[in-house]
Amino acid sequence: MTRILLTLSFVFSLLACGTVKPDLRPPEGLSEHPSFAAPKAPGAKAYLEPPQILAMLEESKVMYRFREMTRTPEMKHDRLLAEAYPEKRKPLILPTVILRDGERHLVEFPVKPAAGAELVKGEAFFRQRNLDQAVVHYKRALSLQPDLYLAISHLGDCALFGGRPAEALGYYDRAIGINPWDFRTYFYRANTLAAMGRWKEAQDDFIEALARAPRRASVLNVLEQHRSRLGLRVHRELFWPKACARREGKEVAICVQKGVNAAPAWTAYGACKAIWLGEPAHRIAVAGSANLVYSNHEDRECFMNLLGMYKAMRERGHADAEPQLDRLWEIALAKHLDSFLVYEFITRISPHTVLLSGEEGIARMKEFIRRWVVVNAS
């Protein structure tokens, strides 16, 4: 495919660097860094670097076309990410985790029909701010199902709105003790602690909630409202792509935003995404399957190309600083790339992924959030 090779070579060499051709290699040893290294299983294929990707595009029977990423609504970052990482599993209403045969399974928390009916009645009164009647029905639900954590949590809401925040905390603690997997109870407890001026404890609970429900708008909104009191900065968006790959009939388009800083790095990213879309043999060689399903190997390889190219360009004075790429570089070097992939991408596909990783996975996610999402303002 001479046309694509010439086009991409032109983009790599000229688009963002004037007439100076950048070194197309990532920094030495980058492919061996733990954040980017391919698995060491027998026969595993090393990740490709930009010159190898260009060669694959040229030799392929698939037609790859480079085109400009236009500034249309469908090219906004949230839509691009939704397209690249489509939801495969709907979020559960009352998520909980059970152990079966030594493995974790995500299920809906069981609710007895009669207890659920009382919850519904209680909610109707709660929305009318008739707290006394809401409490009556929530307690009836508990009498029918003593482990119904949602009824206990709702009693906490009634206590909070009734001006008894200390009592509300007791209810939330009980609910969390029964089902520690639902983000909402931590969120409610965090709001109660904030109302009491217990800011450090509130911050901890906001992060507990966000670890169980990454990118949750309601949690991020409240964190931003309280950021001055908490002394925090909130990074709502960690990645907004300036390149993508998509099928257009029998062809694969490599789209790069026009005039973007570090365009060769973004073109390398888009080209990497293109071979994962168009080359089943590459998916087999690296991920072990030709199926078009998510693989963290894809993102590891494509971020190695994006960040490696960007770093090389910065070191050679061929690109201006780009904050999101600088931050992602630091995330990778801190060995937090996998947590970033879960937070930003994998939970778009399967919202409760973190829950299935258990307490250790939640602890890793909290560490990631504290360092990169909800950070000290100082």
Side-chain angles (χ1 to χ4, degrees):
M1 293 295 174
T2 304
R3 177 182 297 179
I4 189 65
L5 178 62
L6 290 175
T7 302
L8 288 173
S9 295
F10 176 78
V11 171
F12 275 124
S13 61
L14 299 178
L15 195 54
C17 303
T19 58
V20 181
K21 184 175 181 180
D23 189 336
L24 297 185
R25 297 168 298 173
E28 186 176 355
L30 185 65
S31 62
E32 298 302 315
H33 189 278
S35 287
F36 303 112
K40 299 300 182 183
K45 184 178 179 181
Y47 294 150
L48 300 183
E49 296 182 3
Q52 298 165 307
I53 291 175
L54 287 177
M56 181 175 288
L57 293 173
E58 182 190 30
E59 296 165 4
S60 177
K61 295 179 181 179
V62 177
M63 174 64 75
Y64 294 91
R65 292 190 182 277
F66 170 85
R67 69 179 180 82
E68 179 185 324
M69 182 188 286
T70 54
R71 294 180 179 275
T72 56
E74 64 270 17
M75 286 298 186
K76 289 184 177 180
H77 95 279
D78 53 344
R79 295 199 182 185
L80 286 172
L81 291 175
E83 177 184 294
Y85 305 95
E87 185 178 76
K88 299 293 186 182
R89 183 168 185 173
K90 293 291 183 182
L92 301 183
I93 298 172
L94 303 177
T96 194
V97 174
I98 62 172
L99 283 177
R100 186 188 303 141
D101 299 327
E103 294 185 354
R104 297 184 185 94
H105 295 271
L106 186 71
V107 298
E108 288 277 8
F109 190 91
V111 178
K112 295 179 179 179
E118 291 297 331
L119 272 180
V120 171
K121 293 176 184 177
E123 279 296 279
F125 283 111
F126 183 82
R127 286 194 296 270
Q128 298 168 14
R129 287 298 184 264
N130 188 337
L131 301 181
D132 291 339
Q133 280 300 307
V135 166
V136 168
H137 289 287
Y138 294 149
K139 287 185 174 180
R140 284 180 184 170
L142 277 178
S143 70
L144 295 167
Q145 185 176 342
D147 70 343
L148 187 51
Y149 78 98
L150 199 62
I152 298 171
S153 174
H154 287 355
L155 285 171
D157 296 342
C158 290
L160 176 62
F161 284 93
R164 305 184 306 279
E167 181 182 334
L169 290 180
Y171 283 119
Y172 297 141
D173 289 343
R174 284 176 57 194
I176 288 170
I178 295 171
N179 183 20
W181 307 104
D182 191 335
F183 87 95
R184 285 169 293 195
T185 317
Y186 295 94
F187 184 45
Y188 301 154
R189 191 170 69 178
N191 282 314
T192 304
L193 289 164
M196 299 170 73
R198 294 163 62 174
W199 295 107
K200 177 60 173 67
E201 295 166 272
Q203 177 181 334
D204 291 342
D205 267 354
F206 283 128
I207 291 173
E208 290 278 4
L210 200 57
R212 288 161 175 78
R215 305 182 324 282
R216 189 77 180 197
S218 57
V219 181
L220 291 170
N221 289 343
V222 175
L223 276 166
E224 286 191 328
Q225 291 171 12
H226 294 317
R227 65 183 184 275
S228 60
R229 296 182 182 90
L230 293 168
L232 299 173
R233 284 183 290 116
V234 180
H235 296 291
R236 295 188 72 117
E237 298 171 356
L238 297 180
F239 182 68
W240 44 101
K242 298 180 180 178
C244 68
R246 51 174 50 172
R247 285 195 177 277
E248 295 183 347
K250 295 182 179 180
E251 301 177 351
V252 176
I254 302 166
C255 310
V256 181
Q257 194 176 110
K258 182 179 180 181
V260 67
N261 178 45
W266 284 107
T267 304
Y269 175 81
C272 175
K273 284 289 183 179
I275 64 170
W276 276 87
L277 192 59
E279 304 295 328
H282 185 68
R283 297 195 294 271
I284 293 172
V286 179
S289 172
N291 295 333
L292 277 170
V293 296
Y294 179 81
S295 168
N296 65 347
H297 296 304
E298 174 182 349
D299 276 327
R300 281 168 167 253
E301 183 169 55
C302 294
F303 274 100
M304 183 188 81
N305 279 272
L306 170 64
L307 299 177
M309 176 75 82
Y310 171 71
K311 185 67 171 178
M313 293 176 68
R314 289 286 294 147
E315 289 175 349
R316 294 163 177 79
H318 297 324
D320 295 329
E322 185 167 337
Q324 76 151 326
L325 296 186
D326 289 332
R327 185 181 302 114
L328 288 173
W329 178 261
E330 293 300 322
I331 288 172
L333 294 186
K335 302 181 183 179
H336 287 167
L337 184 64
D338 283 341
S339 292
F340 162 75
L341 297 181
V342 172
Y343 181 88
E344 188 63 50
F345 304 139
I346 299 176
T347 49
R348 295 177 189 272
I349 300 169
S350 181
H352 302 304
T353 297
V354 180
L355 302 186
L356 287 173
S357 64
E359 293 180 1
E360 291 183 2
I362 290 175
R364 287 193 300 271
M365 185 55 64
K366 289 193 300 185
E367 180 185 0
F368 173 81
I369 290 168
R370 288 184 187 279
R371 184 158 179 183
W372 305 106
V373 181
V374 180
V375 301
N376 290 331
S378 56

